[in-house]
Amino acid sequence: MTPELPVIFIVDDDEAVRDALALHLELAGLTVRPCASAAEFLAVADPGQPGCAVLDIRMPGMDGLTLQQEMVQRGLTLPVIVMTGHGDVPAAVRAFRAGAVDFLQKPFDEDLLIERVHEACERDRSARQAGIEAAGIRERTALLSPREREVMELVAEGLPNKTIARRLDIGIRTVETHRGRVLEKMGARNASELVRMLTRLEPGRG
């Protein structure tokens, strides 16, 4: 299955700016979807669509920062680049706190925008791939029996079979059997790979 191409959403009520940015990005080989308002963007945005969103701060109705918050509430995880014609430092702080990947003050170098858009799309691609991998790990974990999960957790702690057997009050041979099944069901070649998988689910582990 061919991965869906990223789409760059440009949300700006200024038609001239919107068209100029769209043309520049399209000439760079990118797929662009211009939107004249936050409402228009929200009407067409799809959580499954990869890419990024370039949002103007000052817009009538819902402004760019409010739109950024609305995106979070709707599960729209597209990386956000915020742009403004007003060097508003408090707005920049709000944008970054809400997860914006960049803040560009108009007028800005359009080549810089292209660079930032590519970086944002790569961040989005990596995040989506990590999400797919984590979902697969969760699915495989669900196939484990309660005892296999206990053994897996202790293996992930780096405990040897003898210690695991003592902890669970079972024989070493039984531990070896469960350990083998855990690795097989999880698709891990060894304990180190198993730990890396579990770390993707719990970044604080290890």
Side-chain angles (χ1 to χ4, degrees), residues 70-158:
E70 183 66 21
M71 288 174 66
V72 173
Q73 293 177 2
R74 296 192 182 199
L76 296 170
T77 59
L78 288 174
V80 169
I81 297 172
V82 176
M83 56 183 178
T84 181
H86 314 271
D88 191 342
V89 175
V93 172
R94 284 178 58 198
F96 281 120
R97 283 180 176 172
V101 298
D102 216 327
F103 184 96
L104 301 178
Q105 183 178 351
K106 300 175 184 176
F108 48 78
D109 183 350
E110 291 174 330
D111 289 335
L112 176 62
L113 174 62
I114 291 175
E115 179 183 331
R116 295 294 187 264
V117 162
H118 278 300
E119 291 173 356
C121 287
E122 175 57 26
R123 178 179 298 196
D124 182 57
R125 187 202 65 77
S126 297
R128 289 176 187 275
Q129 182 60 38
I132 291 171
E133 292 175 359
I137 294 170
R138 281 191 289 270
E139 288 176 1
R140 295 195 293 278
T141 300
L143 299 176
L144 300 178
S145 69
R147 178 64 83 187
E148 286 168 348
R149 290 191 187 192
E150 289 178 328
V151 171
M152 179 179 70
E153 289 296 329
L154 296 176
V155 168
E157 289 180 21

Side-chain angles (χ1 to χ4, degrees), residues 7-15 17-26 31-38 40-41 52-56 59 67 81 83 106 108 113 117:
V7 171
I8 316 306
F9 293 91
I10 300 176
V11 188
D12 194 318
D13 63 304
D14 188 322
E15 184 177 1
V17 171
R18 206 167 58 240
D19 290 346
L21 293 180
L23 177 60
H24 205 73
L25 292 172
E26 286 170 350
T31 301
V32 181
R33 179 68 185 266
C35 298
S37 67
E40 182 180 339
F41 167 74
C52 74
V54 182
L55 312 180
D56 187 35
M59 293 187 292
L67 173 55
I81 297 172
M83 56 183 178
K106 300 175 184 176
F108 48 78
L113 174 62
V117 162

